[in-house]
Amino acid sequence: MYSVFLSKTGYDSALVRVPRRRFGPVPAWRPPDFVEPEEVWILGTSHLSTESVADVERVLRAVRPDNVVVELCRSRAGIMYVSSDASDEQVLKSNMFSLGGTQFFGAVNRSINLGGQSALALRLLLAVFSSKISSGANRPFGEEFRAARRVSEDIGAQLVLGDRPIEITLERAWKSLTWDKKTKLVISLFRGITSTSDKPQDEKTAVSPYELYQKLSTSYPSLLQPLIHERDMFLAWSLKRSKAVNKSKTVVGVVGKGHMNGIVYALISDQGDLRFRDLVGRASSDTWVTSLVKGLVRDTVIGLVLWALYEQLQSVL
């Protein structure tokens, strides 16, 4: 058995401390000069909660960690830097799938390079879908990440992007589906985007990315592994084994509360299987001819999807 220290910081947040002695063994392949953090704190938050913002500020100022690891990747880092001068509408429409952090075409190019056209199309669909289902919440997404950035700057902690690139996550999610499931998913998202409902939304109907992933995984069980379990492991790797946390005394992770159990389990049960290349690898056994044919078909389909999505964007947003 292992012990961790659990305390409630607020209605929407929870805090876990995992000391280094509870970690799994350092594998033989790890460089000898690497030293894992003495302790890792995991603060589970709600992405749409004002209470979580206060919890992040209070915990970081109390613990004063060397590193603050956030559940964001480079493509989504812009969420932390939304200008205070931005319009309320722009802030409210920002979500975990938005193409932000760089200029639009730069973000598109990065998405295609890392995940391919299919992952980009899926991301755009999810971005529009998420904006629509959360539009009635009247609360900005990711305010706790902005709080983490501000406090990290105040206390001199290093801010670490700890999540796997969303492009790779969506690519692996897309590949996990059969073609009939892919078709069903795309149709379902389009229906959700184009549907007109007069039912008023309140803050209870707002859906966080983790909740959306869970809902998708219920209908498409093969999505559970790439969307949730693998990301739990990647976040654990960032907290425990990334170069950024080498020789750190204290690391705090700011993550969605739904990831907490998976991250704690990965930290403690790890027997050397938390390896970056295993969590981001892209393998393919296709010949160049097969890849060419598939690419032509895929690009045609994706082109049609993006065109249709563009038409919907003009009417929905």
Side-chain angles (χ1 to χ4, degrees), residues 95-218:
N95 61 63
M96 191 66 83
F97 307 102
S98 300
L99 285 168
T102 61
Q103 294 184 349
F104 178 78
F105 288 106
V108 169
N109 184 62
R110 176 176 171 80
S111 289
I112 291 176
N113 287 339
L114 284 178
Q117 294 93 330
S118 300
L120 172 60
L122 182 58
R123 181 178 179 181
L124 290 173
L125 282 170
L126 288 169
V128 180
F129 184 70
S130 296
S131 294
K132 182 171 184 180
I133 63 178
S134 297
S135 60
N138 200 34
R139 287 177 295 176
F141 168 81
E143 187 61 36
E144 83 276 23
F145 296 133
R146 292 185 277 278
R149 173 190 58 83
R150 292 192 299 267
V151 177
S152 295
E153 293 173 351
D154 288 345
I155 66 177
Q158 178 180 211
L159 196 63
V160 181
L161 300 173
D163 202 359
R164 183 170 65 182
I166 189 173
E167 299 87 355
I168 294 176
T169 292
L170 293 181
E171 180 205 29
R172 291 172 75 108
W174 184 255
K175 286 185 175 180
S176 72
L177 297 171
T178 59
W179 275 106
D180 60 322
K181 293 293 186 181
K182 291 176 181 177
T183 303
K184 180 182 176 183
L185 174 60
V186 171
I187 292 174
S188 297
L189 290 175
F190 264 113
R191 285 178 177 171
I193 292 171
T194 58
S195 66
T196 56
S197 174
D198 296 329
K199 180 181 178 181
Q201 289 180 312
D202 56 26
E203 56 186 32
K204 291 183 179 179
T205 64
V207 178
S208 73
Y210 185 86
E211 291 171 322
L212 177 56
Y213 283 160
Q214 282 190 314
K215 290 178 182 293
L216 289 174
S217 299
T218 299

Side-chain angles (χ1 to χ4, degrees), residues 85-99:
D85 297 328
S87 67
D88 291 341
E89 183 179 2
Q90 177 185 345
V91 174
L92 289 174
K93 284 183 178 179
S94 177
N95 61 63
M96 191 66 83
F97 307 102
S98 300
L99 285 168

